């Protein structure tokens, strides 16, 4: 964005920033703060950061003494709750004026758009474009002449081939945290089958959505993976880090995880292992792959002590320079279209590939999950919990696809009727 619209002299005082430190580390935040200080030397920055920072800062938010800026990510962070509690500043008027040097509005430059509520309010800007998909070792695939799948049929064929040739169960996920399969396989499958509306209706327990043919078709695909004995038999008792280690050791070939995987497993990754990533190939042949973004936003507290400095800092984050720095330090991408990573030697190859995919029309379709409001929010939580239970049951071969759908229908009806 064009920075400095306020003029350096007006930006001063103390700026307090709260950010969660997880799989992406804190290097991006540290470097952003340093470069901001060079531009605005009169601002003193206080950092509130760490893996449990959201819970540590809760009392401050409750007491109406929040930090100025918050990065909403990680355990204990719930944007919907913060909006419902009136804790976030409405950014709509300010954000609609922000442009890049070439005049392009910032709000038109997001890969996944900012969430605009019915009354036109915007309470956060989508900073991190994360998404779940399926990972494989592209080096190992090249050595064995295994093709990378583009749709469900080729994925099933690929897994059967790998099972025969390598003697392993090719697919692993964590049963302890079934949301990995939910977000990494089911969400993109639902989106590919019925688009954004179906995806959101299912998440919100809409009975008619669970009755649709597309849903049974998707769960039938899951059943096929199970029937062909392609799922690691110990998955149910394994944590996400255990399954990720199994994957790195070639005990399995495919795993559904978000962009943070290479960063999180950096110290355990074998030297000859090359991360490959594809949008989960649950789509039918000839149809585009589906991505469901997991967006990590930034927001300004409604009770911020220094909103002008907070706005200047947010402008500073949404620049091509910061987007490159983000890709370098996290192995993920910022939620900005048209950022060229191709010449950046510090960005991993898989990320350049996915960045190109996202910026190439027609290869994939991006479907957003919207924040449920009011009563839907409580229903969505219960639906999510029920889906997680059913995922473990079907992947263990204890229920059929029909039973999976019937169980979800019963749950939806009990919540909606």
């Amino acid at each position: 964005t064009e920075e400095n619209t306020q003029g350096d002299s007006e930006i001063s005082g103390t700026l307090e920033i709260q950010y969660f430190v997880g799989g992406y580390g804190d290097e991006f935040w540290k470097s952003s703060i340093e470069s901001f200080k060079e531009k605005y030397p009169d601002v003193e920055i206080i950092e509130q950061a760490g893996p449990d920072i959201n819970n540590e800062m809760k009392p401050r938010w409750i007491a109406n003494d929040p930090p100025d800026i918050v990065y909403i990510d990680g355990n204990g962070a719930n944007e919907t709750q913060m909006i419902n509690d009136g804790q976030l500043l409405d950014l709509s008027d300010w954000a609609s004026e922000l442009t890049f040097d070439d005049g392009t509005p910032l709000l038109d430059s997001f890969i996944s758009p900012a969430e605009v509520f019915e009354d036109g309010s915007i309470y956060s800007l989508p900073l991190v474009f994360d998404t779940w998909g399926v990972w494989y070792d592209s080096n190992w695939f090249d050595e064995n002449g295994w093709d990378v799948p583009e749709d469900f049929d080729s994925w099933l064929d690929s897994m059967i081939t790998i099972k025969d040739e390598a003697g392993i169960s090719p697919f692993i996920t964590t049963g302890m945290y079934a949301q990995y399969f939910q977000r990494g396989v089911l969400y993109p499958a639902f989106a590919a089958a019925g688009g954004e509306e179906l995806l959101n209706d299912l998440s919100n327990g809409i009975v008619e959505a669970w009755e649709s043919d597309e849903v049974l078709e998707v769960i039938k695909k899951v059943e096929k993976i199970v029937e062909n004995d392609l799922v690691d038999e110990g998955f149910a008792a394994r944590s996400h880090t255990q399954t990720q280690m199994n994957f790195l050791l070639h005990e399995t070939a495919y795993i559904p995880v978000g962009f943070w995987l290479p960063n999180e497993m950096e110290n355990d990754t074998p030297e000859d292992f090359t991360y490959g990533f594809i949008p989960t190939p649950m789509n039918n042949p000839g149809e585009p792959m589906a991505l469901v973004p997991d967006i990590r936003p930034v927001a300004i507290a409604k009770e911020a002590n220094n909103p002008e400095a907070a706005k200047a800092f947010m402008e500073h984050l949404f620049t091509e320079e910061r987007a490159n720095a983000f890709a370098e330090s996290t192995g993920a991408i910022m939620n900005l279209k048209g950022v060229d990573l191709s010449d950046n030697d510090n960005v991993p190859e898989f990320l350049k590939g996915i960045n190109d995919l996202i910026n190439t029309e027609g290869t994939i379709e991006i479907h957003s999950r919207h924040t449920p409001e009011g009563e839907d929010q409580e229903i969505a939580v219960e639906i999510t919990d029920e889906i997680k239970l059913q995922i473990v049951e079907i992947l263990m071969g204890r229920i059929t696809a029909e039973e999976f759908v019937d169980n979800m229908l019963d749950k939806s009806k009990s919540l909606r009727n």
Side-chain angles (χ1 to χ4, degrees):
T1 50
E2 278 188 86
E3 289 186 65
N4 201 9
T5 46
Q6 310 280 314
D8 291 22
S9 58
E10 292 177 35
I11 307 297
S12 60
T14 304
L15 176 66
E16 193 174 13
I17 300 173
Q18 174 183 334
Y19 62 88
F20 166 78
V21 182
Y24 290 138
D26 62 2
E27 189 186 323
F28 169 74
W29 291 100
K30 297 278 186 202
S31 68
S32 298
I33 286 165
E34 280 312 304
S35 54
F36 182 76
K37 278 181 183 167
E38 285 169 23
K39 195 166 179 56
Y40 299 103
D42 295 338
V43 177
E44 182 202 343
I45 293 185
I46 298 171
E47 295 171 62
Q48 303 286 1
D52 198 35
I53 195 60
N54 299 319
N55 292 319
E56 290 166 17
M57 293 292 283
K58 276 238 166 80
R60 293 261 317 266
W61 285 92
I62 292 166
N64 285 334
D65 177 31
D68 299 291
I69 281 196
V70 58
Y71 166 58
I72 304 174
D73 185 11
N75 230 354
N78 185 324
E79 184 185 8
T80 309
Q81 197 62 53
M82 295 174 94
I83 293 168
N84 289 346
D85 292 346
Q87 293 176 335
L88 303 181
L89 186 67
D90 180 359
L91 305 173
S92 51
D93 290 347
W94 168 74
S96 61
E97 307 271 295
L98 295 179
T99 57
F100 285 91
D101 292 339
D102 64 1
T104 312
L106 175 65
L107 290 178
D108 293 348
S109 304
F110 295 133
I111 301 166
S112 187
E115 189 159 3
V116 182
F117 285 80
E118 282 178 10
D119 63 358
S121 306
I122 297 173
Y123 293 104
S124 65
L125 296 184
L127 180 71
V128 179
F129 182 94
D130 202 333
T131 189
W132 298 68
V134 167
W135 296 83
Y136 61 98
D137 176 354
S138 59
N139 195 28
W140 192 34
F141 272 51
D142 290 346
E143 284 172 10
N144 286 285
W146 295 332
D147 293 331
V148 178
E150 293 178 2
D151 50 49
F152 181 72
D153 292 359
S154 57
W155 193 24
L156 194 67
D157 291 346
S158 164
M159 289 195 274
I160 291 168
T161 301
I162 292 169
K163 182 189 171 193
D164 292 345
E165 294 183 8
I168 58 171
S169 301
F171 181 83
I172 197 165
T173 187
T174 164
M176 282 174 68
Y177 303 103
Q179 65 265 31
Y180 277 66
F181 189 85
Q182 180 187 11
R183 293 181 169 193
V185 179
L186 286 190
Y187 282 171
F190 291 149
E196 206 162 281
E197 188 178 357
L198 180 68
L199 171 68
N200 283 284
D201 284 351
L202 292 170
S203 301
N204 295 339
I206 303 293
V207 174
E208 291 76 14
W210 282 104
E211 287 173 335
S212 67
D213 295 342
E214 289 90 343
V215 171
L216 182 59
E217 189 190 322
V218 164
I219 307 300
K220 279 288 198 191
K221 290 175 180 174
V222 176
E223 191 177 58
K224 263 190 183 164
I225 295 172
V226 177
E227 285 172 349
N228 282 283
D229 198 23
L230 303 172
V231 181
D232 175 86
E233 64 178 14
F235 87 95
R238 293 206 171 107
S239 71
H240 62 297
T241 41
Q242 282 176 301
T243 57
Q244 287 164 197
M245 273 309 300
N246 290 59
F247 167 69
L248 293 179
L249 296 171
H250 289 171
E251 290 170 21
T252 63
Y254 290 107
I255 189 169
V257 189
F259 274 171
W260 63 87
L261 175 69
N263 218 37
E264 188 171 48
M265 302 304 285
E266 190 177 14
N267 298 331
D268 298 301
T269 306
E271 272 184 30
D272 59 349
F273 191 103
T274 307
Y275 287 97
F277 175 95
I278 41 167
T280 309
M282 291 290 280
N283 50 304
N284 291 326
E287 293 175 8
M289 290 173 154
L291 273 185
V292 180
D294 234 359
I295 297 299
R296 311 280 196 274
V298 277
I300 296 175
K302 193 172 183 179
E303 302 288 335
N305 287 320
N306 196 345
E308 292 312 316
K311 288 172 181 174
F313 187 81
M314 271 175 76
E315 281 191 62
H316 180 68
L317 290 177
F318 288 99
T319 55
E320 181 137 9
E321 178 219 345
R322 289 287 87 212
N324 268 277
F326 184 81
E328 287 175 21
S329 62
T330 64
I333 56 178
M334 198 182 277
N335 185 44
L336 283 179
K337 286 182 202 160
V339 175
D340 186 7
L341 301 175
S342 57
D343 296 334
N344 190 331
D345 296 337
N346 300 318
V347 173
E349 284 305 312
F350 83 84
L351 199 61
K352 292 179 183 179
I354 199 69
N355 191 54
D356 288 346
L357 256 185
I358 286 168
N359 282 294
T360 306
E361 294 276 323
T363 324
I364 56 171
E365 282 181 359
I366 296 172
H367 304 271
S368 296
R369 258 187 344 122
H370 304 300
T371 309
E373 297 181 51
E375 169 201 8
D376 282 358
Q377 194 190 340
E378 289 161 27
I379 291 175
V381 170
E382 293 209 39
I383 288 292
T384 291
D385 290 344
E386 188 65 33
I387 288 175
K388 289 195 282 195
L389 295 175
Q390 301 305 326
I391 283 169
V392 174
E393 292 298 299
I394 195 165
L395 290 181
M396 290 189 79
R398 293 202 289 229
I399 59 172
T400 63
E402 284 80 3
E403 286 170 318
F404 182 109
V405 174
D406 285 345
N407 292 342
M408 290 310 305
L409 255 175
D410 289 346
K411 186 69 177 179
S412 300
K413 285 173 179 170
S414 73
L415 291 168
R416 284 281 169 192
N417 295 342

